Amino acid sequence: MDLEGVLNHRRSVRVYDKTKKIDTLKVKHGLELATLAPNSSNMQLWEFYHITEPATLANLAKACLGQTAVSTAAEAVVFVTRQDLYKKRSKFVLEFEKGNIQRNSPIERQEKRIKDRELYYGKIMPLLYTRFFGVVGLFRVLLTKVIGVFRPITRQVSENDIRVVVHKSCALAAQTFMIAMANEGYDTCPLEGFDSKLVKRLLKLPRGAEINMVISVGIRKEGSGIWGERCRVPFKEVYKKL
């Protein structure tokens, strides 16, 4: 299939054919492709929990309110945000960028570019992703209001704003994964209907982790896997040419 064919094939499948098996390695590879998704400042504050064991999948189905999109699935993936890992990830990206600059930038520009990355990933990113009961976020908001008087600046910097950014980046990875699965002829269904406390307990996640979404994987059951025709708001209502 070409890209348009893949996108047309992808549907939110609610019932899978349990007699049809899928290749776990293809699902894993789809998650590897998901890491290629764009994400804010390349912080990659995500983790992917690939559920393959029947017992774990059954417990996940319970945590997902018994939905058939999970109870009939061959496998599932839980996309998790890890904003609490911002120090580790910013340090990782900074070290990569230093080597990247040394390998690919003109010698006369390397020092300045490395200093820019050290400021960005060593100072700005830790300040932006720090959470402390809303206090740090309030400081960021007040700071941007002052700077915004003199020049354009990103204003969505509260602790809740940054949490949204982390979830948006993770969602881009989840969408990339679903497209990768459609390319393999596999079906998926993204779910937001779940008990996050139970899912976190099942995965043994730390307090700072959050569930972005659960995506079930399998092969659709003909006649019941999809609820009729695809519904989309007319394109002319959402397309605005300026």
Side-chain angles (χ1 to χ4, degrees):
M1 290 186 286
D2 60 9
L3 178 59
E4 186 171 350
V6 168
L7 294 176
N8 278 308
H9 175 78
R10 191 215 62 77
R11 296 288 300 272
S12 295
V13 173
R14 306 288 176 174
V15 182
Y16 299 97
D17 189 336
K18 300 187 75 170
T19 66
K20 295 182 179 179
K21 306 300 180 181
I22 63 174
D23 188 338
T24 296
L25 292 179
K26 289 184 178 180
V27 179
K28 181 181 178 181
H29 182 58
L31 291 171
E32 290 175 334
L33 295 176
T35 66
L36 302 178
N39 62 98
S40 184
S41 295
N42 203 25
M43 288 290 281
Q44 304 169 64
L45 294 168
W46 53 40
E47 288 179 339
F48 315 138
Y49 288 77
H50 184 186
I51 311 300
T52 61
E53 292 296 327
T56 306
L57 191 60
N59 287 329
L60 180 64
K62 292 178 182 178
C64 291
L65 317 180
Q67 296 183 71
T68 55
V70 182
S71 64
T72 63
E75 298 180 5
V77 179
V78 182
F79 285 75
V80 175
T81 63
R82 294 300 307 270
Q83 186 173 340
D84 57 322
L85 296 179
Y86 70 90
K87 290 182 181 179
K88 179 179 179 181
R89 298 292 167 84
S90 60
K91 182 179 179 180
F92 171 82
V93 178
L94 175 58
E95 291 305 311
F96 171 84
E97 283 300 311
K98 287 179 179 179
N100 194 26
I101 291 169
Q102 292 169 347
R103 291 188 297 271
N104 298 293
S105 292
I107 295 177
E108 65 274 13
R109 296 185 180 181
Q110 289 184 10
E111 183 177 359
K112 182 181 184 304
R113 289 180 177 177
I114 288 176
K115 286 183 178 179
D116 288 343
R117 299 301 191 280
E118 287 176 338
L119 173 63
Y120 192 73
Y121 287 105
K123 303 293 185 182
I124 296 177
M125 287 299 99
L127 174 62
L128 196 59
Y129 283 93
T130 296
R131 290 190 291 190
F132 187 73
F133 302 105
V135 176
V136 180
L138 179 59
F139 167 75
R140 294 195 298 256
V141 170
L142 294 175
L143 181 63
T144 55
K145 283 183 180 294
V146 173
I147 297 174
V149 173
F150 304 99
R151 64 178 179 84
I153 189 172
T154 300
R155 298 175 186 271
Q156 285 66 46
V157 293
S158 71
E159 292 187 17
N160 187 60
D161 290 332
I162 300 305
R163 177 176 176 265
V164 170
V165 168
V166 175
H167 276 272
K168 286 194 294 185
S169 290
C170 190
L172 288 172
Q175 173 69 1
T176 302
F177 169 70
M178 287 188 285
I179 293 173
M181 290 295 90
N183 188 58
E184 294 289 349
Y186 292 169
D187 295 301
T188 55
C189 184
L191 297 99
E192 294 182 293
F194 50 78
D195 187 321
S196 58
K197 184 177 180 180
L198 291 180
V199 177
K200 288 185 69 172
R201 185 184 301 165
L202 176 65
L203 302 181
K204 297 181 174 60
L205 295 177
R207 183 177 181 180
E210 294 184 358
I211 309 301
N212 177 256
M213 69 179 75
V214 177
I215 297 182
S216 55
V217 187
I219 296 175
R220 67 188 69 178
K221 185 175 182 180
E222 294 299 330
S224 59
I226 298 172
W227 294 343
E229 301 173 0
R230 173 180 267 144
C231 173
R232 287 295 182 268
V233 173
F235 185 65
K236 64 181 181 180
E237 292 190 23
V238 299
Y239 175 68
K240 313 296 179 183
K241 184 178 181 181
L242 303 179

